[in-house]
Amino acid sequence: MAKRKPDEPKKGAPEWQTTFGDLMNLLLCFFVLLFAMSSIDEDKQQQIIASFNNMFSVFDGGASAIGDGMLISNGVSQLNELDQYINSTGKMDDEGEIVDEDLANAQERLEEAQLEESEALAEKIQEAVDEKDLGQDIDIEFTSQYVELTLKGGILFDSGSVVLKDEALPVLDQVGLILERYAQGTIEIEGHTDNVPMSGAKYSNNDELSAGRALSVFNYLMSITNLNPADVKHAGRGEYLPIADNSTAEGRSRNRRVEIKIYNSLSSY
C-alpha cells in the first residue's frame, strides 16, 4: 500500500507575521490621522514659557529672581535688595544668624506677662506674710517663672537634723495656707546647707542632709493641706547654691535654708 508523503513546508513568511504587520500599519495610520487633526495653541505655549521664566529663571538668560533683584544673570551671581529680603524673614544678630523678629517679640511679650503675674502674686503673698507677722522668718522674691519663699534654716531644724522644730510648725502652717490659696501649678521645695562637712551625724554629707530637710517640709505640708503631691517636687541642693559668704557665721546661717518656689500659670513648668 502506498504511503503518503509528508507535507512540504510552505514558502514565504509565517502567517502570524503577516497579521502582525497589518496591525502595525493600521496603528501607524491611526496616529498619523490624530496628529494631522491636532493643532498647537501657540499663545498658550508662550504663556507657559513665560510662567516658568518668572518662577525659575530658566529661560531667556535666567534674569528673574527674588523681588526686583537678579539672582543669576549672564552667569554672574548677585542679590540686590538684600536688606529687604532679610527684613521679610528676620534680622541678623552679631554672629550672622538670622533672628525671627516676630518670634523674639512674642517671647519678650510672654516674659513680660510672666513677670507681671509673678509680681502680682508676690505682692499678695507678701501681704499674707505681713498680716501674720512672719516677715522675719520668710523672705519673698520673684522671677518671671516663680515666686520664691525662703525659710531660714535656724527656725526649722537643729544642727545636723531633719526633724522639724516645734516653733517651725506655725510658720509652715501659714505657708501651707498660702500654697493652697495661691499655687496654681508646680511647687518646688529645695533644701540648702552651708559648706561645713558633716561629722558624727546621721547623714554623711550635706547633700543627704539637704534632701532630708526638703523631704521633711514636703511631708509636713502634705499632712496639713489638700495639695496634690504630684504638683509638689522636693530636692536637696546641698552647699552648691550659697546666697551668702560661708566664711562667716552669719553667711553660713543664711545659707542654711529651705526655698519654696511657686511657679506661675504662665511658666514653663
Side-chain angles (χ1 to χ4, degrees):
M1 182 176 181
K3 293 180 179 180
R4 182 179 176 181
K5 292 183 179 179
D7 293 337
E8 295 181 0
K10 296 181 179 179
K11 297 180 180 180
E15 294 180 354
W16 69 269
Q17 289 186 358
T18 302
T19 303
F20 182 80
D22 291 341
L23 177 60
M24 292 298 102
N25 287 333
L26 289 173
L27 289 174
L28 176 61
C29 293
F30 176 75
F31 285 112
V32 169
L33 181 62
L34 288 179
F35 180 79
M37 294 173 62
S38 65
S39 61
I40 299 176
D41 191 334
E42 294 185 0
D43 291 338
K44 288 186 177 180
Q45 184 181 22
Q46 291 300 324
Q47 291 176 4
I48 294 173
I49 293 175
S51 176
F52 276 99
N53 183 31
N54 291 332
M55 292 174 61
F56 301 111
S57 300
V58 296
F59 299 106
D60 300 332
S64 180
I66 299 172
D68 295 328
M70 298 174 69
L71 183 61
I72 302 176
S73 182
N74 297 325
V76 178
S77 298
Q78 57 184 348
L79 180 62
N80 296 332
E81 302 180 4
L82 178 61
D83 187 60
Q84 179 181 354
Y85 171 67
I86 293 177
N87 285 340
S88 67
T89 57
K91 287 290 187 180
M92 285 189 176
D93 59 17
D94 295 337
E95 298 180 355
E97 298 290 336
I98 294 180
V99 179
D100 190 325
E101 282 192 331
D102 291 338
L103 178 60
N105 291 334
Q107 291 175 336
E108 183 177 352
R109 289 193 297 270
L110 175 60
E111 186 170 353
E112 290 176 355
Q114 290 174 328
L115 194 60
E116 290 177 359
E117 181 170 338
S118 289
E119 184 176 8
L121 179 59
E123 290 177 355
K124 294 176 182 177
I125 294 175
Q126 186 68 62
E127 291 177 0
V129 169
D130 293 341
E131 182 179 351
K132 298 299 181 179
D133 196 24
L134 297 175
Q136 297 297 320
D137 301 321
I138 303 175
D139 294 329
I140 299 174
E141 297 179 337
F142 66 91
T143 70
S144 61
Q145 295 289 312
Y146 55 79
V147 177
E148 181 180 270
L149 283 64
T150 300
L151 285 69
K152 297 177 175 60
I155 67 169
L156 297 177
F157 305 100
D158 290 326
S159 178
S161 173
V162 299
V163 178
L164 289 168
K165 298 165 68 173
D166 291 339
E167 55 264 37
L169 302 186
V171 177
L172 289 177
D173 290 341
Q174 295 303 316
V175 171
L177 293 175
I178 290 173
L179 295 179
E180 283 188 316
R181 183 174 181 181
Y182 296 112
Q184 300 179 9
T186 300
I187 301 170
E188 199 167 37
I189 302 171
E190 293 183 350
H192 298 264
T193 67
D194 56 28
N195 65 347
V196 177
M198 299 292 296
S199 61
K202 177 180 179 180
Y203 295 93
S204 60
N205 55 55
N206 286 318
D207 293 338
E208 294 180 359
L209 178 63
S210 62
R213 288 179 170 179
L215 181 59
S216 294
V217 173
F218 168 83
N219 287 334
Y220 184 77
L221 291 175
M222 291 303 100
S223 68
I224 64 169
T225 68
N226 294 318
L227 295 172
N228 184 356
D231 294 331
V232 185
K233 301 190 297 184
H234 55 88
R237 306 305 300 272
E239 63 194 66
Y240 308 112
L241 297 174
I243 58 175
D245 187 358
N246 274 311
S247 63
T248 66
E250 181 182 357
R252 291 190 295 273
S253 176
R254 291 186 58 196
N255 289 332
R256 296 190 295 270
R257 67 197 189 277
V258 172
E259 295 176 349
I260 300 177
K261 298 177 180 178
I262 307 172
Y263 286 86
N264 63 53
S265 62
L266 298 178
S267 71
S268 56
Y269 281 85

